[in-house]
Amino acid sequence: MKIVLNGEEVSAGDGLTILRAAEQQGVEIPTLCDSPDLTPAGVCRVCVVEVEGSKALVGSCHTPVAEGMVVHTHSSKVLAARKAIVELLLAGHTGSCVSDTNARNCRLHRLASDLQVGPPRFEMRSPRYFPAEDTNPYVCRDLSKCIMCYKCTRACDEIAGKHVLGIAYRGIRSKISVGFDEPLVEEACRDCGVCVDYCPTGALIRPPGERGDGVV
């Protein structure tokens, strides 16, 4: 089928999402929660694009292309929304990343730099803070740096087939949990590391001495 992507008519395969169709044309749309290996979730909203005729911006990672669709991936409206979304994510990203040597692997911070997003203007009334966990020899977890993109839970379910990670609570209290909100001990999660590979921030990292930096 034919679509118009940033003013140019291009071909797109039936069943492709806007994100994948744009990738095939060499157009990069940033995203934090998406991966070709995982079922689209559409939770981070960073990948929003403008589709003519649509009342609102749409998530490109889960919106299929349609014949004659006219898409703008980097319009002023899209960029303004994308910057605001990243700023909101940073406001809730309360980890001590300034002094964290793993911050260089944080896709959120790299995206904020690319979009020229400064320190958040929004103040969290109840900052999301969780103590870091380093008792597991395979995974170190700091949920204060988690942006709730669910990539780790989907990777654990869909790729590793372990079903160890889940989602607990609601609203600002929501978090990635293990069992009945238990620590990530070795008995619950052994030598796998798939969740680390897909985490776009420093919420999940390998302990010192373990190989691999992740971020898929």
Side-chain angles (χ1 to χ4, degrees):
M1 62 181 68
K2 298 291 185 181
I3 66 171
V4 178
L5 182 65
N6 296 334
E8 181 181 353
E9 186 178 76
V10 299
S11 297
D14 187 20
L16 284 181
T17 62
I18 296 174
L19 178 63
R20 299 292 170 242
E23 287 178 347
Q24 288 187 354
Q25 301 300 323
V27 177
E28 182 179 357
I29 300 175
T31 178
L32 292 169
C33 72
D34 183 76
S35 171
D37 308 323
L38 303 174
T39 302
V43 294
C44 77
R45 310 309 294 172
V46 172
C47 73
V48 292
V49 296
E50 186 176 0
V51 176
E52 292 189 9
S54 176
K55 295 182 179 179
L57 300 179
V58 302
S60 64
C61 70
H62 61 82
T63 303
V65 295
E67 182 68 41
M69 178 182 278
V70 180
V71 181
H72 304 280
T73 65
H74 290 77
S75 65
S76 58
K77 184 177 181 180
V78 167
L79 291 178
R82 206 169 277 163
K83 287 182 178 182
I85 291 167
V86 170
E87 189 175 355
L88 285 167
L89 288 172
L90 283 172
H93 187 69
T94 55
S96 55
C97 296
V98 174
S99 59
D100 186 357
T101 57
N102 290 289
R104 67 184 184 276
N105 296 322
C106 179
R107 183 174 291 178
L108 174 62
H109 279 72
R110 295 204 300 268
L111 181 56
S113 177
D114 292 341
L115 293 173
Q116 298 181 341
V117 176
R121 296 165 292 167
F122 313 111
E123 182 178 353
M124 296 283 289
R125 293 183 179 179
S126 301
R128 299 179 73 252
Y129 173 76
F130 303 96
E133 301 175 24
D134 58 2
T135 56
N136 190 299
Y138 309 111
V139 181
C140 291
R141 187 167 71 149
D142 185 352
L143 294 182
S144 297
K145 301 173 184 177
C146 176
I147 59 172
M148 297 297 291
C149 69
Y150 308 153
K151 287 181 79 174
C152 61
T153 62
R154 286 178 286 152
C156 186
D157 292 345
E158 299 174 17
I159 296 177
K162 301 293 182 63
H163 310 287
V164 171
L165 303 177
I167 304 166
Y169 311 112
R170 292 184 176 182
I172 193 64
R173 295 181 64 244
S174 62
K175 61 183 288 191
I176 303 299
S177 67
V178 177
F180 294 99
D181 196 7
E182 303 157 2
L184 187 63
V185 294
E186 183 177 357
E187 288 73 18
C189 183
R190 293 184 176 274
D191 191 6
C192 171
V194 168
C195 58
V196 178
D197 293 335
Y198 284 84
C199 180
T201 69
L204 298 173
I205 63 172
R206 287 181 171 82
E210 287 286 310
R211 298 182 61 183
D213 290 323
V215 185
V216 177

